[in-house]
Amino acid sequence: MERVRFFGISLVVAILFFAVPQGAHAATKYWVGGNGDNVGTNANDWSTTDPSACTDGAGNASAVPGSSDIAVFDADCDNNATIAANWSVAGLSITSGYTGTLTQSSSFTLTVGTSNYSQADGTFTGGTGAITMNGTFTLSGGTVTFGNQTITTKFDWTYTAGTIDAGTSTVVFGTTGGVAKTITGSHSLYNVTFNNSVNGGASTWTIAVGTTLTALGTLTFDNTGDSGTTINTGTLAAQGNISIADNSTYNGSATLLINGTGSQTMTGSATVSSGAIPNVNINKASGTLTLSGTIRTIVGWTYTAGTIDAGTSTVVFGTTGGVAKTITGSHSLYNVTFNNSVNGGASTWTIAVGTTLTALGTLTFDNTGDSGTTINTGTLAAQGNVVVASGGNYTGTTAFQFTGTNNQNFDLTGATTLLDLNTTINKASGTVTLLSALTMDVSGQDLTITSGTLDLHGYNLTVNDVLTVSSGAFLQLYGAETITATTKTLSTGSTVKFTGDGDTVADTYPVTAQFSASYKNLTIASTDGTTDIFQSGATLTVAGTFSIGATSAYNLNSYTLTA
């Protein structure tokens, strides 16, 4: 009985032995080939032991290095070598003291397995064929010259010394499940792509603290799977164009430094509620950064220096849970959207003290989740239309202003009570026109018309605290609107203008129903001519100028006019 059990155990061991993959028997093979020989032609160009001299054809290997073998180029044989056919090895090691050149010829491919690529000396010259790194890449000396080719890596990438000539190559930092990878040592590549091809698994790359990875060509974010890529710490410097090819999330604590001295374009493919890029710092000594498409950030946005051509792009300031984010440095964008897509979690953005963020196009407040957005300090300036959409409230201490010289629409349809920011109309010229009612119902919330015109356009206005029309500013209304405020201040030199609704139907507007029938300057400028009647229902006081248009009519109704 005991012998039977022993036989069974022996049989299991035998089965396990033969089931071990060939890679477990990897051999190390040393280059001893003739100068310029093909690495994949003659087995006798390789030795299974470290040679003491380099003699062409004196190797004792039974085969050239394959996918289970580590190919070594060391100081004992400095002869050049050529990859003249597709070559797959478990590892490739170019050690200190090797002074030759390993050349990847033409479009032949090179695959390096889990035993890694390491180079401490000599020269590797790439071709046009793909290089696939299924292990780590380490350069501690020598020279790597890449060609017009794609190098794909899914594991640690380390540069400590030596020279990298990136040519016009593309290095793809891919993913392998949930394994975290690190990029170490400041250096420059040409095109750089971050790609997560995995479905259901996030990819994490860490750029080591103090490391700057520079993309001289195009920096591309392109997840072909359904999950995001996280890029942490360190700096990712883009000196060429930047392409965000999808609406995946590329976030993390790394800094995306845009610092090329020539013209650069950043193109986004985000939506209002999906997609993200790392912390942005625009710091260009020269050249113009052109923005295109929709670019979304959920971690931070800094402008330090340089010219921005915002084109017709949209920048979305989104959310990532309860993490506070900062916008730093005064600059102008085109369309700007603040969006909280999270259910049950408020979003907070801080515009740094002294910073003015200007939206030249449409400024949109659009929470697609059920929670609010807080915008603190700094100044948020709108020079185009402003849209407040449904969702949670928009609160905070930022100074929200309408500026510039364009006519602007202010639309809060379906969200008349959601904008809780103190608001100022401060326009050198032009009119801000309401397209809905405006209810500013938060304690202490003020509306100030410093300069320019606010046209109520037939919609009601409610201000919890103080409504101020400053000297030289205009408040325009049809005449039947309700204006409610705890304090209504018409400064000396301010003007209230009644126009009627312009619908060609006869209407009557009680001018004395507003502002306690006391104005600084009052203008009647009917858009329906004398069809509409503007009239008094009490004594009317005008401290300054009372102006009635040539085609307008005013009826005192026997009440006194003091002007």
Side-chain angles (χ1 to χ4, degrees), residues 451-532:
S451 60
T453 300
L454 173 62
D455 182 0
L456 301 188
H457 200 57
Y459 295 101
N460 295 334
L461 172 64
T462 300
V463 180
N464 174 273
D465 196 17
V466 179
L467 167 63
T468 301
V469 185
S470 300
S471 176
F474 292 78
L475 175 63
Q476 182 172 306
L477 64 158
Y478 290 172
E481 298 93 333
T482 298
I483 302 174
T484 303
T486 300
T487 302
K488 301 176 185 177
T489 300
L490 298 179
S491 301
T492 300
S494 65
T495 300
V496 177
K497 182 178 181 180
F498 289 77
T499 65
D501 59 13
D503 63 358
T504 71
V505 177
D507 296 298
T508 300
Y509 298 104
V511 174
T512 53
Q514 308 289 355
F515 295 97
S516 302
S518 179
Y519 299 88
K520 302 305 179 183
N521 295 314
L522 176 63
T523 297
I524 309 298
S526 175
T527 54
D528 271 342
T530 56
T531 301
D532 286 346

Side-chain angles (χ1 to χ4, degrees), residues 101-125:
T101 299
L102 174 60
T103 301
Q104 180 188 12
S105 179
S106 187
S107 59
F108 297 113
T109 62
L110 171 63
T111 301
V112 181
T114 57
S115 294
N116 310 322
Y117 178 103
S118 64
Q119 182 176 346
D121 214 337
T123 300
F124 175 87
T125 301

Side-chain angles (χ1 to χ4, degrees), residues 169-173 183 189-195 207 213-222 231 235-245 250 254-259 264-268 277-280:
S169 64
T170 298
V171 176
V172 178
F173 293 95
I183 300 167
L189 301 174
Y190 193 66
N191 299 321
V192 171
T193 297
F194 283 88
N195 168 260
I207 302 175
L213 175 64
T214 300
L216 302 173
T218 299
L219 173 61
T220 302
F221 300 93
D222 184 13
I231 308 171
T235 299
L236 182 58
Q239 296 190 351
N241 294 334
I242 303 161
S243 173
I244 306 117
Y250 305 89
T255 296
L256 173 55
L257 174 63
I258 303 172
N259 66 340
Q264 295 177 262
T265 298
M266 180 159 63
T267 302
I277 55 176
N279 290 289
V280 170

